[in-house]
Amino acid sequence: DTAVSQTPKYLVTQMGNDKSIKCEQNLGHDTMYWYKQDSKKFLKIMFSYNNKELIINETVPNRFSPKSPDKAHLNLHINSLELGDSAVYFCASSPEGNEQFFGPGTRLTVL
Amino acid sequence: QKEVEQNSGPLSVPEGAIASLNCTYSDRVSQSFFWYRQYSGKSPELIMSIYSNGDKEDGRFTAQLNKASQYVSLLIRDSQPSDSATYLCAVNPLYSGGGADGLTFGKGTHLIIQP
């Protein structure tokens, strides 16, 4: 059984487009996160959600917006995509905000 | 600003030897520490967590924490070629039981186990 899943696995799109990445966890965890891993493999927190409430919001552009329809899902919407948005985006979840378990990642390429 | 420092490597270790990976962190209030393994093209996989000073052992892995020195390490005994990966050190300022801070990651150490 997949614990944290993401779709799509690969996403190739043109600059200026709007896209979404979906994330689901079946672990019953309270908190979910989005991380960005850039071309140099540096992994950085973007957002976290705890019981559908945004807890932290790092200094990411407001073109990025997380949306959580329920505790098991945290989707990432990106508007007006730019070249610099190309990266691997990881969803993660954790019980009580501690040990975090990652999804398989979505490789976004903006052309 | 929270920072986590790791030597990027590559760290080359012969098969069967002990691999030693090190990490320092800047935020003194940090309470939770994690080691993740990431194979190329894959997602980070949690291999160790440690919350108290001292050593924590799990199979071939031992995590060591020294909060006074703001230092955490990972030892891998009897290294295998399958241990070749990037090892990410991560820090969370909150102790288990609450909060939703994201982890602050180091840039990772690339470990190569030579057969």
Side-chain angles (χ1 to χ4, degrees):
Chain A
D1 288 341
T2 302
V4 183
S5 60
Q6 294 179 229
T7 54
K9 188 170 183 179
Y10 300 97
L11 185 53
V12 181
T13 188
Q14 299 289 329
M15 272 197 312
N17 284 349
D18 302 336
K19 290 294 179 184
S20 295
I21 306 172
K22 295 185 177 181
C23 177
E24 177 181 1
Q25 55 97 2
N26 61 7
L27 299 167
H29 289 168
D30 291 326
T31 310
M32 296 181 71
Y33 310 81
W34 278 106
Y35 287 85
K36 178 181 180 180
Q37 189 167 44
D38 61 25
S39 58
K40 295 185 178 180
K41 308 300 183 186
F42 187 39
L43 195 60
K44 190 172 181 181
I45 182 71
M46 298 178 72
F47 303 104
S48 74
Y49 254 73
N50 185 315
N51 291 325
K52 298 202 294 183
E53 180 185 358
L54 181 65
I55 301 298
I56 62 171
N57 183 342
E58 293 293 318
T59 54
V60 299
N62 58 13
R63 298 181 294 103
F64 291 79
S65 57
K67 292 202 170 48
S68 180
D70 55 58
K71 195 172 85 166
H73 296 84
L74 182 64
N75 303 324
L76 182 65
H77 298 276
I78 315 170
N79 295 324
S80 303
L81 278 156
E82 300 177 356
L83 292 176
D85 297 332
S86 296
V88 180
Y89 292 85
F90 288 102
C91 177
S93 72
S94 73
E96 301 180 338
N98 213 20
E99 293 182 341
Q100 297 183 17
F101 300 90
F102 285 77
T106 296
R107 182 174 294 277
L108 172 64
T109 302
V110 182
L111 302 176
Chain B
Q1 183 170 349
K2 297 178 282 187
E3 291 184 351
V4 177
E5 299 288 339
Q6 294 181 256
N7 188 323
S8 61
L11 174 64
S12 186
V13 174
E15 183 176 357
I18 296 175
S20 178
L21 304 164
N22 304 316
C23 170
T24 58
Y25 59 95
S26 64
D27 190 350
R28 286 192 171 275
V29 302
S30 299
Q31 294 291 334
S32 308
F33 307 87
F34 307 92
W35 284 99
Y36 284 82
R37 178 175 63 198
Q38 188 174 25
Y39 293 113
S40 180
K42 300 295 185 181
S43 60
E45 174 192 6
L46 180 65
I47 55 172
M48 288 290 285
S49 59
I50 187 166
Y51 307 105
S52 304
N53 279 330
D55 294 0
K56 179 182 177 182
E57 186 175 319
D58 184 0
R60 296 186 297 112
F61 299 98
T62 298
Q64 299 175 317
L65 175 60
N66 184 326
K67 289 185 180 179
S69 300
Q70 295 176 240
Y71 177 91
V72 58
S73 65
L74 179 70
L75 301 177
I76 307 174
R77 289 181 299 281
D78 188 23
S79 297
Q80 302 297 311
S82 60
D83 295 327
S84 297
T86 296
Y87 288 79
L88 303 169
C89 175
V91 172
N92 186 329
L94 295 173
Y95 195 68
S96 60
D101 274 18
L103 297 175
T104 299
F105 280 87
K107 294 187 177 182
T109 297
H110 183 42
L111 176 65
I112 299 172
I113 307 300
Q114 294 181 324

